[in-house]
């Protein structure tokens, strides 16, 4: 057995083994109720990194009774992104014109308490050989799909041989230009990034990774080594971060995380506003909080360190980018804008062609909206 397999097999999955929880029978019994709805998994590597109950890592993986509080909410649901509706075949989401999300596994190295797919992760029998066969066949049959995002569950928990086979089958599809893997493995089970895995991955370029990181303390020496191995075999690395109350919802932490990412050759890609998933309300922040964090990044640090802040629209509208407002006024003659220091600048566009007559109707609409929002 390899180290990562051992760390996975020694995961905490039972309430009685959770670190730093109240020593009350009643509390534990109630947590049992939480566990029945949402499984627990903390692999032994990740467990070792948790130093106290205030630890941002603790908040991400140890269940609390708050997960039961929003059960009767009318707004929070089990499938907030309406993924099940956009599945032409099981476990493949085709939402955008030219790319699909394919679940090749539904197990994860840790089970995140804020998971958008709480309804699926860790339960047996969801992704099977048959769903995978149908998913790959769907991509083969749809020549408009030029980009596949393998997600899950965590694609890197698939055994080497099986992963090799899946990547090989996808790479053999002529219209599929790029392959992407969305994973939390490098930051939560770094021993999984082995020489053997790297030898497999590098056969399938262009292969992109988006790695889930939420806090700078996730970067241990083991994690930095795992990321370096992936960068060294030429995989362009991006990140995904979920904005979480009490974990990373302050400027200092978020900026430190973005800097850590860049130092490890990972380009910050997305910060997600937390989805409206049942059982996760206690970890959500307001959207204003996200906009404020973006404002504290933009201009104050390398542009490279500033990801897109998005809301994955409830109901299945896809990702929508949000920016703090920098346009004070926008007319045919001028644009008045403000910079990161709050200073105001005027850009003139008077007499640049006869603009208004050339505006298409859609451009006109967006100009109007800008003016209204002033
Ligand atoms: C996020 C997502 C994608 C990929 O989106 P990009 O903005 O291209 O990274 C594709 N399909 C689904 C269903 C998604 O949620």
């Amino acid at each position: 057995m390899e180290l990562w397999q051992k760390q996975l097999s020694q995961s905490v999955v039972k309430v009685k083994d959770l670190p730093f929880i109240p020593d009350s029978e009643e509390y534990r019994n109630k947590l049992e109720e939480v566990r029945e709805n949402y499984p627990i998994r903390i692999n032994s590597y990740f467990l070792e990194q948790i130093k106290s109950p205030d630890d941002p890592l603790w908040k991400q993986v140890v269940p609390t009774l708050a997960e039961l509080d929003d059960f009767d909410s009318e707004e929070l649901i089990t499938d907030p992104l309406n993924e099940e509706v956009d599945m032409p075949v099981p476990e493949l989401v085709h939402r955008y014109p030219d790319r699909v999300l394919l679940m090749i596994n539904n197990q994860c190295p840790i089970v995140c308490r804020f998971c958008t797919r709480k309804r699926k992760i860790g339960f047996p029998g969801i992704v099977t050989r048959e769903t995978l066969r149908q998913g790959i066949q769907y991509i083969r049959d749809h020549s408009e799909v030029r980009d596949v995002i393998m997600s899950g569950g965590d694609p890197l928990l698939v055994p080497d041989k099986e992963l090799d086979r899946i990547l090989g089958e996808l790479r053999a599809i002529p219209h599929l230009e790029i392959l992407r893997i969305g994973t939390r493995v490098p930051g939560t089970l770094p021993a999984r990034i082995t020489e053997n895995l790297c030898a497999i991955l590098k056969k399938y370029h262009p292969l992109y990774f988006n790695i889930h990181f939420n806090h700078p303390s996730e970067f241990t020496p083991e994690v930095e080594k795992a990321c370096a191995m992936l960068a060294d075999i030429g995989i362009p690395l991006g990140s995904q971060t979920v904005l979480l109350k009490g974990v990373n919802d302050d400027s200092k932490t978020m900026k430190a995380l973005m800097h850590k990412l860049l130092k490890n050759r990972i380009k910050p890609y997305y910060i997600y506003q937390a989805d409206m998933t049942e059982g996760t309300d206690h970890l959500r922040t307001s959207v204003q909080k996200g906009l404020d964090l973006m404002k504290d990044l933009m201009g104050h640090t390398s542009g490279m360190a500033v990801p897109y802040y998005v809301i994955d629209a409830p109901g299945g509208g896809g990702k929508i980018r949000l920016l703090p407002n920098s346009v004070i006024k926008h007319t045919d003659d001028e644009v008045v804008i403000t910079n990161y220091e709050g200073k105001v600048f005027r850009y003139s566009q008077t007499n640049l062609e006869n603009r208004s007559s050339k505006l298409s109707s859609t451009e006109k609409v967006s100009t109007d909206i800008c003016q209204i929002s002033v």
Side-chain angles (χ1 to χ4, degrees):
M1 203 189 270
E2 293 187 73
L3 176 60
W4 67 274
Q5 288 164 322
K6 203 168 137 213
Q7 290 170 334
L8 210 50
S9 73
Q10 292 172 345
S11 293
V12 170
V13 294
K14 292 182 182 154
V15 169
K16 71 175 178 55
D17 299 324
L18 286 170
F20 308 114
I21 57 165
D23 194 17
S24 120
E25 182 85 14
E26 195 194 341
Y27 187 89
R28 283 161 197 244
N29 286 341
K30 281 202 186 131
L31 268 192
E32 200 51 55
E33 216 181 298
V34 177
R35 189 196 59 81
E36 281 162 20
N37 286 293
Y38 310 123
I40 296 166
R41 177 177 293 280
I42 311 170
N43 73 63
S44 66
Y45 161 82
F46 202 77
L47 183 68
E48 265 176 50
Q49 316 309 318
I50 299 176
K51 307 291 190 246
S52 78
D54 302 320
D55 198 314
L57 305 184
W58 189 95
K59 293 195 174 119
Q60 295 185 54
V61 292
V62 177
T64 63
L65 299 188
E67 290 181 45
L68 299 173
D69 287 351
D70 61 31
F71 256 42
D72 45 12
S73 155
E74 307 212 324
E75 292 190 313
L76 301 195
I77 53 175
T78 57
D79 181 17
L81 307 181
N82 237 341
E83 290 185 326
E84 304 294 334
V85 174
D86 279 344
M87 284 184 187
V89 295
E91 312 317 322
L92 177 141
V93 185
H94 194 174
R95 166 159 303 154
Y96 297 104
D98 64 345
R99 55 209 188 279
V100 296
L101 188 140
L102 175 67
M103 281 167 232
I104 69 169
N105 181 21
N106 85 318
Q107 300 296 330
C108 286
I110 53 175
V111 170
C112 304
R113 304 324 297 174
F114 51 88
C115 181
T116 191
R117 299 200 186 101
K118 261 187 150 173
R119 68 189 185 280
K120 283 185 192 278
I121 300 305
F123 296 105
I126 290 186
V127 178
T128 63
R129 267 190 173 269
E130 179 53 19
T131 63
L132 199 52
R133 192 195 62 75
Q134 286 183 39
I136 296 174
Q137 190 56 44
Y138 179 88
I139 298 169
R140 242 182 238 125
D141 292 341
H142 288 77
S143 57
E144 72 274 24
V145 178
R146 40 160 290 288
D147 173 4
V148 60
I149 296 120
M150 279 157 272
S151 182
D154 203 304
L156 295 187
L157 289 196
V158 174
D160 286 355
K161 253 174 108 174
E162 175 74 359
L163 191 62
D164 197 9
R165 184 186 68 78
I166 295 169
L167 291 170
E169 282 192 33
L170 290 171
R171 206 8 109 221
I173 300 172
H175 53 265
L176 207 45
E177 295 172 2
I178 63 170
L179 309 180
R180 291 200 250 176
I181 284 181
T183 177
R184 212 180 162 172
V185 156
T188 60
L189 187 66
R192 171 65 181 111
I193 310 302
T194 59
E195 294 292 345
N196 198 44
L197 177 68
C198 289
I200 292 168
L201 295 174
K202 75 178 185 194
K203 294 190 290 179
Y204 300 109
H205 282 311
L207 170 65
Y208 288 74
F209 266 41
N210 280 315
I211 313 177
H212 184 161
F213 281 106
N214 293 331
H215 194 274
S217 69
E218 291 163 23
F219 283 92
T220 62
E222 292 95 322
V223 168
E224 299 204 328
K225 176 165 175 260
C227 293
M229 287 170 74
L230 295 169
D232 284 347
I233 56 168
I235 299 177
L237 305 177
S239 71
Q240 322 201 63
T241 295
V242 182
L243 178 53
L244 295 169
K245 189 183 271 177
V247 174
N248 56 21
D249 62 340
D250 65 281
S251 289
K252 203 168 148 242
T253 302
M254 196 56 97
K255 196 188 275 182
L257 174 59
M258 298 303 130
H259 290 169
K260 272 279 183 199
L261 291 165
L262 284 184
K263 279 201 270 186
N264 284 280
R265 290 183 276 170
I266 304 165
K267 167 74 185 83
Y269 182 40
Y270 281 139
I271 293 177
Y272 292 101
Q273 177 65 20
D275 290 328
M276 290 166 56
T277 313
E278 198 174 83
T280 68
D281 211 25
H282 57 298
L283 291 167
R284 294 198 299 145
T285 66
S286 68
V287 172
Q288 189 59 50
K289 174 62 80 177
L291 289 170
D292 290 345
L293 290 172
M294 288 299 286
K295 208 169 171 186
D296 289 342
L297 289 172
M298 296 169 74
H300 296 280
T301 188
S302 321
M304 292 280 295
V306 185
Y308 300 119
Y309 169 47
V310 294
I311 297 185
D312 215 336
K319 296 175 184 71
I320 300 175
R321 293 178 192 177
L322 301 182
L323 280 171
N325 196 15
S326 57
V327 180
I328 295 172
K329 186 178 176 196
H330 185 179
T331 67
D332 283 354
D333 292 335
E334 65 171 356
V335 177
V336 180
I337 45 185
T338 165
N339 79 350
Y340 72 103
E341 300 163 304
K343 291 184 182 152
V344 176
F345 302 85
R346 180 177 170 276
Y347 179 86
S348 168
Q349 51 187 8
T350 319
N351 300 329
L352 290 183
E353 309 154 40
N354 190 358
R355 267 196 109 232
S356 42
S357 70
K358 285 197 178 161
L359 282 179
S360 72
S361 60
T362 51
E363 279 173 318
K364 225 173 202 148
V365 166
S366 68
T367 311
D368 290 342
I369 288 169
C370 278
Q371 284 172 340
I372 289 164
S373 73
V374 164

